[in-house]
Amino acid sequence: MNMKRTSIALAAAAALGLAACGGNDTDSGNSSVHSSANALPHLSAATPGTLTGNCAALAAKLTFANTVFTTVTDVAAGTLKVADKPVAEHCLIQGNMNQRVSSVDGKTYAIGFEMRLPLAWNGRFFYQANGGLDGNVLTATGEIGGGGPTNDALNMGFAVISSDAGHSASQNPLFGLDPQARIDYGYHAVATLTPMAKQVIKLAYGKAPDRSYFDGCSNGGRHALVAAARSSAEYDGIIAGDPGFHLPKAAIGEMWSAQQLAKVATATTANGLPDITTGFTAAERQMVASKILAKCDALDGASDGLIQDIKACQANFSLANDVPTCANNARDGSCLTSAQKDAIGNVFSGARNSAGTALYSSFPYDAGLGPGWSAWKQANSITLDPAAAAFTFTTPPQSAAVLSQLSAYALNFSMDTDAPKIFATGGAYSESAWSFMTPPDETSLGALKQRGAKLMVYHGTSDPVFSSNDTTDWYQRLSAANGGDASNFARLYTIAGMNHCSGGPSTDQFDLLTPMIAWVEQGKAPDGVLASARDASSVTPNADVPAGWGTGRTRPLCAYPKVARYQGGDVNAASSFMCS
Ligand SMILES: [Ca+2]
C-alpha cells in the first residue's frame, strides 16, 4: 500500500511538472561525503537487517546505563493493524530510564518507553514523538502524521520508540512542579532515550541504525524542532507537524482567546463563569467561514472550498466589513454583534499585553471553524492550556490547589503580570519554561544542514492552537538565515483548511515519511507531496469534508511559499493544480 501511494505521488509530481518547482539539490550520488560549493552532503541509503536470534533471547543481551527493561516479548503478525492491514511480527521491549524520587513532591518519576523492533528491519530508527502533555507511552507503531494514515513506520520496517517523556499520565499536569520532570518533558527525555534506543537496535540487529528519523505533531512537532536544534547529530530526517515550538506562548494565546470569548458569552457555566462556547456559536462560526470562503476561495483559481493562497486571503477578507453586523444586537447566526467582531478579531489578531506588545502570534482567517477549531478555542483553552501554564510554563508554578480552578485561572490570567513568568527562573527551577520548551536557537540549524540531514514541517492553516502564521514566520527567518533560501534542507507545507494535526475541511491524509527518506537517502527533493481528502468513502472518514466535494479529491502539498493554483481540468485531481 505504501509503495502504491509512493508511485501515485511520484506520478502526480511528474504529471504536474513539480520537479521543476523547488530547489536544486537533486544530485543523486551515493556517497555520504559528497560535497561541493553549492551542494550539501548526501547521506548514504540504509540497508536492511534481520532480528538476530529470537525476541526472548534478546532479553538476556539488553543492558544500558540507568535503564530497566521490564518486558521483552514477541508480538505476532496481525496483533496490531494500520488502516485495516496487519502489522508484521515484531519484538516489543518496554522499560524505563532514570527512575528517581522527586525531592519536590516525593513522587517516583522515570522516563518510560517502549520499542517495537520488526523481525524484517529496513535499517532505520524512528523516534515517535507524542503530543499533548506527554505522560503516556503510546503504542510504538510509528505514527507518520496526517489524518487517517494509510501506513505507519513500524509496518514500513522501522525500529520504533515511543515514550512518556519523563512522567506518567497520573502525574499530569502536576509533574510541572518537579524541576527535572519539566526538563525531561522539554528536551532531556529525547536526549536520554536516543542513545539507549540506538544501543538496543545494535544489540538486536548486529548494527546500529544506518539512518534515523524523528516525527511528531503538536507537542510532538515541538519535540521534532527541538531535536533539530539539540540532537542534530542523531537524526537524519525530521518531520515536524503543526509544531507547538513556542508552546508557553501558545498557551497564553489560548487563554487570551478564552478571555475574549468570555466577553461576549451569553450564558454561564455551573461554576458561575462565562460559557465561552456561547461567545461564538457553531452557526456563527459556519457563517463566518462562509464569508471567508466568499472572499478567498477563488483566489487560487478554483472555488473548491479550499483557500490555498492563505496570504492573499488575509489581505482580502475583513471581519468588520465582510460579516453582517447584527441589527439591534439580535444574534440569530446570520451576523455578529459589534462586540463579537471586536472579540473574535482579537482572537485572530492574537494575544497581547496592555501595552499592545504581541505575546504569541496572530492566526490566519481560514475556512476550518468547525468542531476541531472549537475544541481548542472553546474547551482546551480553559482546561488543558491553563493546566500546562499553571504548573509547567510559569515560574514559580501555581500550587496544586489551582487544579480545581483552571477555568478561573485561565480567565483571570494577566497578560501583563503573569505572561512574563514563562521567562522566569527561581528556586529549584533553574531553567525557564521558554528555555526548556523551545529550540535554543531556532534559526541556527547549520549543524543539521551541513551534515546532510533534512527537515520537513507541515502546518494546517486552520490550526486554532498553534498558529501557522507563527511557523511561517519562523520559516521566513530560517530562510533569511540561510541566504534567503532554506529549501535545500528545510521545507514547509501549509495545509489549507486543516485543523490541529488533522481534520477540518481539508486534504489531511498524506505521507511525508516516504518522500523524506527519498530526500535524505537518494537526494530527491520533495517538490510535490500528494494529499487526499478523507471523504465518506474513506476507511477513516473526516466528518469535516463537505459532501459536495464528492469522492477521491487529491491536492499537491506545495513547499512554502508556493501555492497550489488551479490550471483547469478535474477540480478533484491534484494534477489540475500547479505549485507556483
Ligand atoms: Ca480555492
Side-chain angles (χ1 to χ4, degrees):
M1 182 58 114
N2 178 58
M3 290 184 66
K4 183 181 175 189
R5 280 179 56 82
T6 304
S7 61
I8 290 170
L10 293 173
L16 290 163
L18 295 178
C21 285
N24 57 2
D25 54 325
T26 54
D27 57 290
S28 55
N30 202 30
S31 165
S32 61
V33 294
H34 169 73
S35 182
S36 68
N38 295 315
L40 297 172
H42 172 196
L43 300 172
S44 57
T47 56
T50 305
L51 195 66
T52 52
N54 60 37
C55 183
L58 186 58
K61 292 195 285 183
L62 293 178
T63 176
F64 197 82
N66 304 314
T67 304
V68 177
F69 297 96
T70 55
T71 301
V72 182
T73 188
D74 186 76
V75 180
T79 305
L80 298 179
K81 289 187 175 181
V82 56
D84 284 347
K85 295 176 302 189
V87 172
E89 182 178 4
H90 58 274
C91 185
L92 169 64
I93 299 166
Q94 294 173 314
N96 63 75
M97 299 185 75
N98 295 2
Q99 186 169 310
R100 64 192 170 82
V101 175
S102 167
S103 61
V104 174
D105 62 18
K107 294 178 179 174
T108 298
Y109 287 85
I111 304 171
F113 67 87
E114 76 169 41
M115 294 185 70
R116 290 179 185 263
L117 309 181
L119 301 195
W121 180 47
N122 68 11
R124 303 180 180 100
F125 169 48
F126 185 96
Y127 191 109
Q128 170 186 322
N130 298 318
L133 297 177
D134 274 305
N136 295 287
V137 181
L138 300 183
T139 305
T141 50
E143 291 186 12
I144 61 174
T150 56
N151 212 342
D152 59 36
L154 177 62
N155 204 43
M156 293 164 74
F158 286 79
V160 181
I161 191 170
S162 164
S163 97
D164 61 15
H167 61 273
S168 66
S170 67
Q171 291 167 327
N172 276 340
L174 295 175
F175 74 89
L177 301 181
D178 179 77
Q180 184 61 45
R182 285 181 166 202
I183 291 168
D184 285 347
Y185 173 60
Y187 62 86
H188 194 249
V190 171
T192 303
L193 290 161
T194 297
M196 183 280 297
K198 290 189 175 184
Q199 175 67 10
V200 166
I201 288 169
K202 187 175 183 180
L203 292 169
Y205 299 107
K207 69 169 184 178
D210 295 319
R211 300 270 75 92
S212 297
Y213 293 81
F214 197 106
D215 194 341
C217 201
S218 186
N219 174 54
R222 181 195 67 81
H223 279 303
L225 286 185
V226 170
R230 290 186 180 267
S231 302
S232 59
E234 299 285 356
Y235 292 97
D236 307 310
I238 296 174
I239 299 172
D242 291 56
F245 69 122
H246 293 151
L247 227 171
K249 287 187 177 179
I252 292 171
E254 281 275 276
M255 293 186 287
W256 161 269
S257 292
Q259 292 175 9
Q260 303 309 311
L261 294 173
K263 294 178 186 173
V264 288
T266 57
T268 56
T269 61
N271 58 12
L273 295 170
D275 179 352
I276 62 174
T277 64
T278 64
F280 194 18
T281 66
E284 289 164 344
R285 286 185 275 111
Q286 184 177 8
M287 180 272 298
V288 170
S290 74
K291 303 300 182 187
I292 296 170
L293 282 167
K295 294 293 285 193
C296 299
D297 191 355
L299 294 172
D300 52 31
S303 294
D304 58 352
L306 288 164
I307 299 168
Q308 303 287 1
D309 196 341
I310 193 69
K311 182 179 179 184
C313 179
Q314 307 317 300
N316 276 264
F317 174 74
S318 162
L319 187 71
N321 299 329
D322 296 328
V323 173
T325 304
C326 300
N328 304 316
N329 286 332
R331 290 173 56 182
D332 63 2
S334 69
C335 56
L336 296 177
T337 66
S338 294
Q340 278 184 296
K341 288 187 176 182
D342 287 345
I344 295 161
N346 284 338
V347 167
F348 279 88
S349 61
R352 51 194 179 267
N353 63 21
S354 62
T357 302
L359 300 176
Y360 178 48
S361 168
S362 62
F363 289 80
Y365 287 104
D366 191 21
L369 298 178
W373 191 91
S374 177
W376 282 98
K377 293 292 197 199
Q378 300 181 303
N380 291 345
S381 60
I382 52 170
T383 54
L384 181 63
D385 289 287
F391 306 118
T392 306
F393 297 159
T394 54
T395 301
Q398 297 293 305
S399 73
V402 171
L403 193 53
S404 63
Q405 310 156 36
L406 290 174
S407 296
Y409 175 82
L411 295 175
N412 293 312
F413 187 89
S414 169
M415 299 296 150
D416 289 336
T417 60
D418 290 328
K421 295 176 183 174
I422 66 173
F423 302 109
T425 61
Y429 306 98
S430 58
E431 282 196 53
S432 71
W434 191 251
S435 171
F436 64 73
M437 289 298 287
T438 71
D441 186 348
E442 61 196 36
T443 60
S444 179
L445 298 177
L448 188 85
K449 172 184 176 180
Q450 293 303 332
R451 55 176 289 272
K454 308 301 183 197
L455 177 60
M456 295 171 83
V457 182
Y458 64 90
H459 207 136
T461 49
S462 285
D463 185 335
V465 54
F466 303 142
S467 175
S468 64
N469 282 354
D470 195 40
T471 301
T472 301
D473 173 68
W474 160 79
Y475 189 76
Q476 288 174 332
R477 287 184 286 112
L478 181 71
S479 295
N482 285 275
D485 184 2
S487 68
N488 61 349
F489 80 103
R491 296 193 181 197
L492 167 64
Y493 305 83
T494 60
I495 301 175
M498 190 173 85
N499 288 141
H500 187 55
C501 295
S502 65
S506 62
T507 55
D508 75 344
Q509 188 175 57
F510 48 84
D511 167 15
L512 290 182
L513 182 58
T514 302
M516 172 60 96
I517 295 168
W519 196 11
V520 170
E521 301 183 18
Q522 299 168 33
K524 295 178 181 173
D527 290 308
V529 176
L530 193 72
S532 304
R534 294 181 290 131
D535 54 57
S537 69
S538 168
V539 174
T540 53
N542 169 12
D544 296 328
V545 169
W549 287 11
T551 60
R553 173 173 288 194
T554 57
R555 287 291 181 271
L557 299 184
C558 299
Y560 180 89
K562 287 173 179 153
V563 169
R565 299 188 192 280
Y566 183 57
Q567 308 296 306
D570 179 2
V571 79
N572 266 2
S575 57
S576 300
F577 291 78
M578 177 80 80
C579 294
S580 64

